[in-house]
Amino acid sequence: MHVSNVTLETVCGITSTLPENDKLEIAFAGKSNVGKSSLINALMNRKSVARTSSQPGKTQTINFYNIDEKLYFVDLPGYGYAKVSLEIRAKWGKLIEKYLINSKKLRIIFLLVDIRHEPSQNDVDMYNWILEYGFNPIIIATKLDKIKRSQIQKNVSIIRKKLKAIENTPIIPFSSLTKQGRDDIWEFIEDYMEYEASIEEAEVTDDEEKNAY
């Protein structure tokens, strides 16, 4: 998908009121140093719209990016950074929980893990937490360019096993450097956009038929 216009439309902190958006929302979750901002920038075909930082744990807000007035990318606070206090981590957790419970337009959650390493307990906890709220996250294995091609399938299998991922859950290897995997991620997003559009069209047709009687 070609992205023409991107706007950081809403930034929500711990005490903020979440927006009631009228467009599809795609959320991104992951550890503080997993490359979440780099992925979002790559999908938007931008260099620095999503804020990257050399200091993990810096993002403390939920950021809503309006993509061509068609959908929102929702950047969730990173987790698992040891230097962030337990109190702050608990508040971030509450903020994410509030979003997962209250968003009426959230349809897809991408969970990012580092392809070089076995998922951490924080990754496992986040995966299970997302499942508890009724979503089956798509896994993105970042930093693909950091390993050899021969290691990819083995590492993907380790990720699947450690997370105890639901059968047929997609795991997409991705590199922000080479952009490998970007088209695969967009394919999932575009398929869901088409699905949502077909449902809305069917609802409009149904309403028109009812009004005809």
Side-chain angles (χ1 to χ4, degrees), residues 23 47 96-97 123 126 133 179 190 199 206 211:
K23 301 176 185 66
K47 290 185 177 181
I96 295 172
E97 181 180 45
D123 292 323
M126 177 58 75
Y133 284 101
K179 306 301 186 289
E190 289 173 335
I199 291 177
D206 188 49
N211 291 333

Side-chain angles (χ1 to χ4, degrees), residues 29-81:
K31 286 191 298 187
S32 299
N33 59 350
V34 76
K36 188 154 48 66
S37 296
S38 296
L39 167 66
I40 294 173
N41 282 326
L43 291 174
M44 297 189 297
N45 201 27
R46 302 294 192 274
K47 290 185 177 181
S48 58
V49 175
R51 303 163 186 172
T52 58
S53 174
S54 59
Q55 296 178 316
K58 187 174 182 180
T59 301
Q60 302 178 22
T61 55
I62 298 179
N63 299 330
F64 292 79
Y65 296 91
N66 187 325
I67 311 297
D68 284 336
E69 295 293 333
K70 294 179 180 178
L71 74 157
Y72 288 95
F73 283 174
V74 184
D75 186 6
L76 301 177
Y79 57 83
Y81 186 52

Side-chain angles (χ1 to χ4, degrees), residues 70-164:
K70 294 179 180 178
L71 74 157
Y72 288 95
F73 283 174
V74 184
D75 186 6
L76 301 177
Y79 57 83
Y81 186 52
K83 291 186 180 180
V84 176
S85 71
L86 291 174
E87 180 183 1
I88 294 297
R89 274 184 272 176
K91 288 181 178 179
W92 290 358
K94 290 292 184 183
L95 178 61
I96 295 172
E97 181 180 45
K98 183 169 70 171
Y99 172 66
L100 296 179
I101 291 173
N102 292 292
S103 173
K104 296 178 181 178
K105 287 295 184 177
L106 175 59
R107 296 294 184 269
I108 301 174
I109 300 178
F110 290 112
L111 177 61
L112 282 62
V113 297
D114 190 328
I115 198 169
R116 299 173 297 176
H117 310 298
E118 181 180 273
S120 67
Q121 188 58 48
N122 282 321
D123 292 323
V124 174
D125 291 343
M126 177 58 75
Y127 178 76
N128 289 329
W129 200 34
I130 293 170
L131 289 179
E132 287 179 12
Y133 284 101
F135 298 95
N136 184 14
I138 296 170
I139 311 302
I140 299 179
T142 63
K143 304 183 187 292
L144 176 61
D145 52 281
K146 303 293 185 181
I147 65 172
K148 297 178 181 177
R149 183 179 294 272
S150 60
Q151 297 175 291
I152 295 174
Q153 290 307 314
K154 175 186 175 183
N155 290 25
V156 166
S157 295
I158 289 171
I159 291 169
R160 187 178 299 279
K161 183 177 179 180
K162 179 66 176 181
L163 292 177
K164 297 181 180 178

Side-chain angles (χ1 to χ4, degrees), residues 201-213:
E201 184 177 346
E203 289 175 347
V204 169
T205 301
D206 188 49
D207 289 340
E208 289 175 347
E209 290 176 352
K210 289 179 181 178
N211 291 333
Y213 291 98

